[in-house]
Amino acid sequence: MLLDSALPMGDLSLSHRMVLAPLTRMRANHDTLAHDDASLAATYYAQRATPGGLLISEATLVSSEGLLDHNVPGIWSPEQTRCWTQVVDAVHAKGALFSCQLWHTGRNAHATFAAHPAMQAGRVPTVSASDVRTPGQTRSTYTGDKLDTSVPRPLRADEMGRVAEDYRLAAVNAKAAGFDAVEVHGAHGYLLDQFLNNGVNRRTDAYGGSVENRMRLLLEVLAAVATVYPNSRIGVRISPHHEGSMKYYGTEDSDPDALYAAVIKRLDKLDLAYLLLTEPRWFGGAFDKDHATDPGFKMALVNPAKFRKLYRGCIIGAGGFTPASAEQALKDGDYDAIAFGRWFISNPDLPDRIRNGQPLTPYVRKLFYAHTAEGYTDYPVFDAVADKSALVPQTSIGQSLSAPAKL
Ligand code: PHB
């Protein structure tokens, strides 16, 4: 099975290709945004760790400027770093590799989070490329109400160095915590993606206009992070979308295929550890089912045909993979490794279950973002499943729906 074969990735060596996808789980401390209940987050990640396997952390804020919710962790403070160290140690004790996903949410952070106790001096949400707010959505706010999204303050050109410096400091902390690699989150309509897409980036300075200008901040951030980790230990996530598919938080571009092709060609020159690409079928909303019949699992891949030939290094695919479609994607040469999210949440021993063809424990979506151990650390490994009749055969995932949903 190709999923179970070794993969050199930058200067990391993976023993198999079943990666834990970065997943928001909202279990960090409400006020400090640190994983201060170390036994909880450490247990969660360690349960999913396998010798030579790659785990990618949940999206982790590089500064409080992008704070968009309680309970998402950061990695700017000594306390956050100390807590991450305990989590990384638990993962390393199981022999796995751990990449820290570095995140700035840009316009998706609500302005009311300015009042959060973890807000750093000189950092205030909400910022973006331009004053274009996330359309048609409400956001959770500091007080817990759902309000319209905030109109972001466009970052000034003379602030970009400080933004890159925030990423650099976060990388310094990630290194101190022991992370093997870092991943710069350039996807899903968050800050760096807001700069890439001309529906959001309306700037006329060196950070807007041409595709080259719109990718400038991403490249400056990567250069800053590369002073801490070598490129061979840096990953980047991007989420190419296309006309007719869902846009990530309303992030649009007039020519997304050309945009992402240019970005991927540019990233190819950096010899990064990996490129993580989201398949557009990923985005929750329309496929928000609580069970294995989610139609997203049957939708065809769209990225490889457009982008695979533009990139020589390792590409990890993510979004709506079943074990069978993941194996097929490796066979077809579409991806080098596959990141699993939902099924890895409910199957801490997912690599073993895939190897052994064992049926899977269904996930409980309403517990994805709950704040306790329930739905987090209490999913059993196969041998400990009391009622095996409740398990889903791997081959039936997505199969009971007659027609896949249209993009
Ligand atoms: C989320 O918390 O919903 C989230 C975070 C990071 C992503 C996507 C979604 O890349």
Side-chain angles (χ1 to χ4, degrees):
M1 164 182 281
L2 290 172
L3 282 166
D4 201 19
S5 62
L7 177 68
M9 186 180 265
D11 66 11
L12 305 173
S13 286
L14 274 58
S15 66
H16 64 77
R17 300 168 185 233
M18 298 167 270
V19 176
L20 174 67
L23 299 163
T24 296
R25 305 307 314 276
M26 310 261 283
R27 265 73 175 183
N29 181 289
H30 187 278
D31 292 329
T32 62
L33 308 179
H35 278 305
D36 64 345
D37 185 351
S39 64
L40 192 59
T43 300
Y44 165 75
Y45 282 105
Q47 283 173 339
R48 286 154 186 80
T50 49
L54 176 66
L55 309 185
I56 306 174
S57 79
E58 64 209 275
T60 300
L61 294 165
V62 297
S63 85
S64 56
E65 191 169 63
L67 217 175
L68 89 173
D69 220 322
H70 301 284
N71 308 107
V72 296
I75 190 155
W76 68 84
S77 76
E79 172 70 356
Q80 291 161 354
T81 306
R82 189 185 65 75
C83 295
W84 272 120
T85 306
Q86 288 171 269
V87 179
V88 176
D89 286 350
V91 166
H92 283 166
K94 300 271 298 280
L97 299 160
F98 204 1
S99 180
C100 183
Q101 194 194 54
L102 303 179
W103 192 34
H104 188 316
T105 67
R107 69 175 185 166
N108 289 319
H110 200 273
T112 53
F113 277 93
H116 193 280
M119 192 53 55
Q120 300 159 283
R123 306 285 184 284
V124 183
T126 310
V127 300
S128 187
S130 303
D131 59 356
V132 181
R133 55 189 276 219
T134 313
Q137 292 193 12
T138 54
R139 274 274 162 279
S140 50
T141 61
Y142 178 61
T143 50
D145 312 314
K146 295 260 180 203
L147 294 179
D148 285 347
T149 52
S150 305
V151 177
R153 176 179 73 78
L155 284 163
R156 297 185 313 274
D158 68 3
E159 287 178 282
M160 301 306 178
R162 193 270 301 157
V163 172
E165 175 66 5
D166 284 345
Y167 279 86
R168 190 190 68 82
L169 288 171
V172 166
N173 290 339
K175 198 168 191 188
F179 279 103
D180 303 282
V182 286
E183 174 183 309
V184 171
H185 190 337
H188 301 164
Y190 291 113
L191 181 74
L192 298 173
D193 208 20
Q194 292 160 27
F195 272 81
L196 293 179
N197 283 264
N198 61 14
V200 184
N201 184 343
R202 312 269 173 87
R203 303 175 75 97
T204 53
D205 64 3
Y207 293 88
S210 65
V211 171
E212 195 58 35
N213 280 356
R214 284 184 270 137
M215 66 172 109
R216 190 177 307 282
L217 183 60
L218 170 64
L219 296 175
E220 289 179 355
V221 162
L222 283 168
V225 170
T227 64
V228 183
Y229 282 86
N231 278 356
S232 54
R233 285 180 180 251
I234 298 174
V236 173
R237 183 169 209 179
I238 58 172
S239 49
H241 55 76
H242 57 166
E243 281 316 309
S245 83
M246 268 166 294
K247 313 293 187 305
Y248 299 95
Y249 297 113
T251 306
E252 294 192 74
D253 193 84
S254 56
D255 192 353
D257 284 351
L259 166 67
Y260 288 103
V263 173
I264 289 169
K265 271 191 207 158
R266 189 69 184 73
L267 294 176
D268 179 62
K269 295 190 178 143
L270 299 180
D271 291 326
L272 298 166
Y274 64 87
L275 176 66
L276 172 52
L277 292 186
T278 311
E279 285 293 330
R281 67 187 178 190
W282 160 77
F283 197 75
F287 318 129
D288 197 359
K289 300 280 188 325
D290 231 5
H291 51 72
T293 55
D294 186 325
F297 289 112
K298 291 192 83 171
M299 291 162 59
L301 302 180
V302 302
N303 289 329
K306 293 178 188 169
F307 306 120
R308 177 82 206 194
K309 58 185 177 302
L310 306 178
Y311 194 83
R312 292 161 304 149
C314 274
I315 311 186
I316 308 176
F321 282 95
T322 67
S325 67
E327 179 68 10
Q328 191 61 45
L330 299 189
K331 246 185 220 144
D332 293 343
D334 288 337
Y335 287 110
D336 299 295
I338 301 297
F340 293 94
R342 287 164 275 186
W343 294 106
F344 223 145
I345 287 176
S346 53
N347 295 271
D349 55 342
L350 186 68
D352 268 345
R353 293 216 204 179
I354 291 178
R355 280 181 190 116
N356 301 327
Q358 289 158 334
L360 304 177
T361 301
Y363 46 83
V364 182
R365 176 168 266 279
K366 70 175 195 294
L367 299 175
F368 282 178
Y369 309 119
H371 302 305
T372 65
E374 199 191 354
Y376 190 52
T377 54
D378 60 353
Y379 285 109
V381 297
F382 182 73
D383 286 342
V385 173
D387 176 12
K388 295 209 169 45
S389 70
L391 301 181
V392 182
Q394 289 182 24
T395 46
S396 74
I397 295 170
Q399 293 305 309
S400 60
L401 284 151
S402 49
K406 287 212 174 60
L407 269 181

